Amino acid sequence: MELVYTHPSHLLVAQARNALERLGIPCVVHNEYAAGAAGELAPIDTWPELWVRRSRDAERARLAIERAQAAIEEADWTCRRCGSESPATFDFCWHCGKPQHGG
Ligand SMILES: [Zn+2]
């Protein structure tokens, strides 16, 4: 077992777990229900923790989580041709097909 991710936000930890499950990496969340009252940041020792069952998966897991979180944190982008907003994970405007970069 090896700890690969911890964050006070249960949502982010759940998203990290989803990223690992998509890759078929066996993992488990500790402290899932240990947080304090709503709106209150839990002390760090009760943050939800994401562990991989096999230590050899840890490095791959961290990379996958990093990529997943970066995709979430990137803002939507606005097409310079038609003004439509596309998610950061889209390389092309969903509306008119203009590439996000260049063009
Ligand atoms: Zn467009």
Side-chain angles (χ1 to χ4, degrees):
M1 295 276 285
E2 187 160 336
L3 177 66
V4 292
Y5 186 71
T6 184
H7 195 282
S9 162
H10 285 249
L11 183 66
L12 289 182
V13 174
Q15 280 165 340
R17 182 180 59 191
N18 288 343
L20 299 195
E21 283 174 350
R22 276 199 300 272
L23 293 173
I25 297 176
C27 56
V28 63
V29 175
H30 288 173
N31 294 339
E32 192 162 11
Y33 304 108
E40 176 189 323
L41 278 191
I44 189 159
D45 61 349
T46 59
W47 285 11
E49 296 174 346
L50 182 62
W51 293 69
V52 291
R53 293 189 183 280
R54 300 178 306 220
S55 292
R56 67 174 186 274
D57 287 334
E59 189 169 341
R60 195 159 71 101
R62 289 196 183 95
L63 283 174
I65 293 164
E66 234 171 67
R67 275 200 299 269
Q69 306 293 10
I72 291 161
E73 284 163 14
E74 266 182 69
D76 292 353
W77 56 280
T78 302
C79 177
R80 275 173 290 172
R81 182 191 288 165
C82 72
S84 297
E85 292 213 340
S86 293
T89 50
F90 282 33
D91 290 330
F92 298 91
C93 172
W94 66 270
H95 187 250
C96 72
K98 184 186 178 300
Q100 177 180 2
H101 301 290

